Amino acid sequence: MSSERGRGHGRGREPGQGPEPAPAVGPHPVPDAAAYLSGRWSVERTVHDLRSGAEGSFRGTAEFRPDAAGEALLHIEDGQLTWGGAVNPASRTLLLRPRPDGTAEVDFADGRPFHDLDLRTGSWIAVHPCAADRYEGTFTAVGADTWHLEWRVGGPAKDQLLRSVYRRLG
């Protein structure tokens, strides 16, 4: 498992390629990841299987709340996954373990390490090897109440792109 600070991913443009693209939403620095994420969020996610061309979506909520011991935040997502014409309930639980410097360690619900998270610059790239596949997540806080997450999953078992938008709920 390794992580590195996120960096901009600009692409050059050749003259005559049409209008200038809209500016990307810049990162919003977050001094304390756990404090920023605490609370309830709506989640809208697109799922693309790049090998088959299949597409789906997830709509639901994410809640970051203290665990029973008060040492971590439970990250619980619940919603509906639409895939292959079927709609099914879907959920996941992760643990966010805050660090004194405002960063956090993210673990699976069973305690296995997943990735680090450092939003102090407003963006972060996390890498997680899973068997022969590689998960690369780009986290971007775009404002006080909105953040984006893109997972690119590649390897012999998967070739997927998952894009999520989280918006704070009341």
Side-chain angles (χ1 to χ4, degrees):
M1 171 178 69
S2 66
S3 297
E4 61 185 61
R5 265 192 213 284
R7 291 167 178 73
H9 300 282
R11 289 188 185 181
R13 230 175 50 85
E14 295 296 321
Q17 286 187 330
E20 189 70 30
V25 177
H28 171 79
V30 173
D32 183 336
Y36 174 77
L37 294 171
S38 290
R40 289 181 44 87
W41 303 80
S42 68
V43 183
E44 293 185 21
R45 177 174 300 131
T46 58
V47 182
H48 303 275
D49 184 314
L50 302 174
R51 286 193 182 135
S52 70
E55 295 186 359
S57 64
F58 172 87
R59 292 202 188 324
T61 60
E63 183 176 7
F64 291 82
R65 67 171 189 249
D67 69 349
E71 298 173 359
L73 292 179
L74 289 171
H75 170 186
I76 302 168
E77 289 190 11
D78 281 307
Q80 300 290 318
L81 176 66
T82 302
W83 187 260
V87 179
N88 292 294
S91 65
R92 73 173 178 173
T93 301
L94 300 170
L95 293 169
L96 185 101
R97 299 183 191 281
R99 295 184 182 127
D101 64 358
T103 66
E105 175 185 330
V106 179
D107 295 335
F108 292 104
D110 63 7
R112 291 176 297 126
F114 188 14
H115 61 81
D116 291 331
L117 182 61
D118 181 351
L119 293 174
R120 293 177 295 185
T121 65
S123 64
W124 180 253
I125 295 175
V127 176
H128 174 76
C130 183
D133 293 330
R134 180 177 189 269
Y135 286 66
E136 182 174 304
T138 302
F139 295 76
T140 307
V142 296
D145 297 318
T146 306
W147 58 284
H148 298 172
L149 173 56
E150 179 175 297
W151 282 105
R152 178 68 170 89
V153 185
K158 296 179 181 173
D159 191 6
Q160 300 174 337
L161 180 62
L162 294 84
R163 290 186 173 136
S164 303
V165 176
Y166 292 76
R167 291 183 179 90
R168 190 175 305 279
L169 294 171

